[in-house]
Amino acid sequence: MTENFRNISKVGFMKHNGGLEFRKISDTEFEFTTTIKEFHMNAGGVTHGGFVMSMLDSGMGTSAHQVIKGRAVTISLNTNFIGGSKAGDKIIGYAKIKKHTNTLIFMYGEIKCDDKLLATAEGIWKKI
């Protein structure tokens, strides 16, 4: 059931922040990817945490939209930073729907580079 990656950054914030590609793996699992650019770096020479969180929010949020076939907004996103990446690295994100109620979607997410875990996240999205 795995689909090919498709660009989800034709308009809006992620278009201006480097772009993001997305694909469905199963009814509850999704992947998203991008390549880190120089403007994603922080003063310490690693990918800025704000970009990592933006990537998780966009990838996990798109996953929520796919499940409900509508719109949802982030109401909570807890992120754990574990490793770093640099310009030129290809980053792969993963999102899994843990629970889906009438009004909320609960998810787990992570970002990796070459099988090295960079960040994990737990989030809640509200259907609107």
Side-chain angles (χ1 to χ4, degrees), residues 49-88:
F51 179 72
V52 171
M53 290 180 72
S54 293
M55 188 177 168
L56 284 161
D57 188 36
S58 293
M60 293 169 75
T62 300
S63 301
H65 299 165
Q66 300 296 304
V67 170
I68 64 169
K69 300 188 182 7
R71 295 177 45 193
V73 294
T74 312
I75 60 173
S76 174
L77 183 62
N78 298 311
T79 307
N80 301 298
F81 299 100
I82 298 161
S85 58
K86 60 188 181 321

Side-chain angles (χ1 to χ4, degrees), residues 18-74:
L20 195 63
E21 293 187 335
F22 180 87
R23 73 176 174 180
K24 179 178 182 178
I25 298 172
S26 73
D27 288 339
T28 60
E29 298 174 295
F30 304 86
E31 283 184 326
F32 41 99
T33 185
T34 195
T35 300
I36 301 299
K37 298 172 181 59
E38 282 295 328
F39 61 83
H40 294 130
M41 298 295 96
N42 66 18
V46 296
T47 305
H48 193 284
F51 179 72
V52 171
M53 290 180 72
S54 293
M55 188 177 168
L56 284 161
D57 188 36
S58 293
M60 293 169 75
T62 300
S63 301
H65 299 165
Q66 300 296 304
V67 170
I68 64 169
K69 300 188 182 7
R71 295 177 45 193
V73 294
T74 312

Side-chain angles (χ1 to χ4, degrees), residues 96-113:
K96 179 166 180 63
I97 308 296
K98 293 171 47 179
K99 185 176 180 178
H100 177 201
T101 71
N102 287 335
T103 58
L104 300 173
I105 301 160
F106 298 83
M107 272 189 273
Y108 168 79
E110 62 183 34
I111 292 183
K112 291 183 175 183
C113 177

